[in-house]
């Protein structure tokens, strides 16, 4: 029964991911008002409040890029669809990926162990797969919930010869294998469960980034490269195309965080990166996560 369910999920995903954008556009138009009505006091209401409090939405909005809660949910929706299209290696999706500053990760990977670190923005489900292109073992922490058959289906979809997944309780094994293979640790650091994070300031409000593991492995000799993905609409041959940009940002050298001053500089610099990324594309960050701005 388990294998039958996994196969069924795979067939459904195979068909869904290849449906035209017009189908998904119509589905969003129908489903969003229903979702909004059902989540006014939960996810939708939380996004509306946070956008207002941080100046991105409402009559007192002060940010350069102003967005509505609908903009956020629509971007998450489309980026989510494209995330899984990219994981499924659908050529129409992979042809729309553009790399910027890739030399930062290429150079870091040549030196030794690296933490490739990002946030839940854009087509973020594809972030770990991107790191597999640098010819080194990629180590990823996952903590999937829900139906076991669906978890297996998604695990197979994410799979890559260079990728190894670990449950959070296998952290020691991950660190050992990371340095043994001189590999890459793939992490998103703006959301976490069952772990303690670092208190930082984003848009003048206290928030949590989960940087303890990156700091630890940096102290042990790994460099850190921050990178992000976001989608943008461009015109090619007279047609609008939704491209996905993979932009590598900053390189932090090994053992930068071995002193209290160095650790504080690293954490604060990464927090500044994250704030700027959200400021650039506020509609594409997962504001709906329930622990945002709760320390």
């Amino acid at each position: 029964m388990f294998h039958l369910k996994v196969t069924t999920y795979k067939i459904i995903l195979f068909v869904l991911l290849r449906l035209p954008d017009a189908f998904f556009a119509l589905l969003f138009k129908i489903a969003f008002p229903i979702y909004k009505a059902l989540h006014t006091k939960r996810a939708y209401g939380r996004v509306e409040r946070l956008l207002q409090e941080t100046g991105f939405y409402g009559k007192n909005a002060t940010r350069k890029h102003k967005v509505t809660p609908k903009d956020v949910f629509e971007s998450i929706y489309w980026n989510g669809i494209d995330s899984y299209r990219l994981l499924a290696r659908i050529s129409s999706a992979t042809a729309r990926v553009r790399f910027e500053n890739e030399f930062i990760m290429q150079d870091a990977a040549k030196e030794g162990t690296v933490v490739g670190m990002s946030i839940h923005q854009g087509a973020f489900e594809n972030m770990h797969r991107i790191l597999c292109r640098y010819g080194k073992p990629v180590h990823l922490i996952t903590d999937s919930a829900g139906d076991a058959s669906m978890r297996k289906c998604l695990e197979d979809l994410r799979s890559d010869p260079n990728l190894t997944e670990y449950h959070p309780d296998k952290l020691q094994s991950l660190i050992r294998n990371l340095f043994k293979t001189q590999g890459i640790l793939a992490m998103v650091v703006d959301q976490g469960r069952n772990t303690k994070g670092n208190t930082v300031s984003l848009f003048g409000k206290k928030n949590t980034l989960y940087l303890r593991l990156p700091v630890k492995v940096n102290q042990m000799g790994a460099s850190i490269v921050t990178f992000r993905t976001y989608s943008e609409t461009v015109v090619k041959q007279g047609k609008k195309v939704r491209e996905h940009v993979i932009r590598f940002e900053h390189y932090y050298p090994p053992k930068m965080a071995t002193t209290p001053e160095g650790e504080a500089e690293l954490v604060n610099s990464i927090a500044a990166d994250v704030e700027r990324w959200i400021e650039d594309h506020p509609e594409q960050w997962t504001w709906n996560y329930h622990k945002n701005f709760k320390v």
Side-chain angles (χ1 to χ4, degrees):
M1 177 60 75
F2 173 79
H3 294 292
L4 177 61
K5 289 179 69 176
V6 172
T7 301
T8 302
Y9 284 135
K10 288 183 177 181
I11 293 172
I12 292 172
L13 271 177
F14 181 91
V15 173
L16 281 176
L17 294 176
R18 287 160 177 80
L19 291 174
D21 281 357
F23 167 81
F24 289 107
L26 178 61
L27 182 61
F28 181 83
K29 187 175 181 179
I30 295 170
F32 179 71
I34 300 172
Y35 178 89
K36 177 181 175 181
L38 294 175
H39 293 81
T40 299
K41 294 184 178 180
R42 291 184 291 169
Y44 182 89
R46 184 163 55 248
V47 170
E48 184 175 48
R49 175 177 56 80
L50 291 178
L51 289 175
Q52 289 175 335
E53 291 179 355
T54 52
F56 289 101
Y57 173 64
K59 62 181 181 181
N60 296 320
T62 58
R63 301 290 172 183
K64 177 182 177 181
H65 300 293
K66 299 174 180 61
V67 296
T68 67
K70 182 181 178 183
D71 294 333
V72 171
F73 284 101
E74 190 166 12
S75 290
I76 291 173
Y77 175 79
W78 283 109
N79 282 323
I81 292 167
D82 280 341
S83 283
Y84 288 104
R85 285 172 168 170
L86 289 166
L87 288 178
R89 296 183 171 90
I90 297 175
S91 58
S92 60
T94 57
R96 294 184 282 113
V97 176
R98 184 175 87 240
F99 289 86
E100 296 183 355
N101 302 332
E102 192 173 16
F103 68 90
I104 297 175
M105 176 55 78
Q106 291 170 333
D107 291 347
K110 292 175 184 176
E111 292 179 359
T113 305
V114 188
V115 180
M117 194 171 65
S118 192
I119 61 172
H120 288 84
Q121 186 179 49
F124 59 81
E125 294 284 1
N126 190 48
M127 301 299 277
H128 65 275
R129 175 72 63 75
I130 290 299
L131 296 176
C132 293
R133 69 190 264 117
Y134 301 106
K136 302 185 68 139
V138 175
H139 305 272
L140 173 72
I141 300 176
T142 58
D143 190 11
S144 301
D147 181 77
S149 303
M150 177 56 77
R151 291 200 303 272
K152 174 60 177 173
C153 175
L154 295 178
E155 180 182 332
D156 290 347
L157 188 67
R158 288 193 298 261
S159 66
D160 185 277
N162 279 348
L163 179 69
T164 303
E165 296 189 19
Y166 301 80
H167 190 272
D169 62 8
K170 301 295 184 182
L171 188 58
Q172 294 302 318
S173 176
L174 181 153
I175 294 174
R176 182 172 60 253
N177 293 337
L178 174 67
F179 283 95
K180 182 179 179 180
T181 62
Q182 293 288 285
I184 299 174
L185 172 61
M187 289 198 67
V188 285
V189 297
D190 56 332
Q191 297 171 16
R193 293 195 304 175
N194 304 318
T195 185
K196 187 176 181 181
N198 304 70
T199 301
V200 300
S201 176
L202 297 179
F203 308 111
K205 294 171 61 65
K206 287 185 177 181
N207 202 344
T208 301
L209 293 180
Y210 296 89
L211 299 171
R212 290 176 179 267
L213 180 56
V215 166
K216 179 179 179 63
V217 296
N218 175 263
Q219 292 168 342
M220 296 172 66
S223 63
I224 294 175
V225 172
T226 60
F227 71 118
R228 56 171 162 161
T229 183
Y230 55 89
S231 61
E232 63 179 15
T233 300
V234 299
V235 177
K236 290 188 173 180
Q237 298 178 341
K239 294 183 178 180
K240 290 184 177 181
V241 178
R242 190 171 60 256
E243 284 195 339
H244 294 279
V245 180
I246 307 292
R247 181 177 175 84
F248 293 90
E249 296 283 349
H250 289 130
Y251 167 85
Y252 298 97
K255 300 189 176 182
M256 175 179 174
T258 51
T259 65
E261 296 79 11
E263 181 175 340
E265 181 183 354
L266 177 62
V267 170
N268 291 333
S269 182
I270 291 172
D273 277 351
V274 171
E275 183 176 290
R276 178 171 51 83
W277 298 349
I278 299 170
E279 177 85 59
D280 287 347
H281 299 280
E283 78 287 357
Q284 296 185 46
W285 189 53
T286 51
W287 295 87
N288 56 319
Y289 184 62
H290 69 282
K291 287 188 178 180
N292 283 334
F293 300 103
K294 288 185 178 179
V295 180

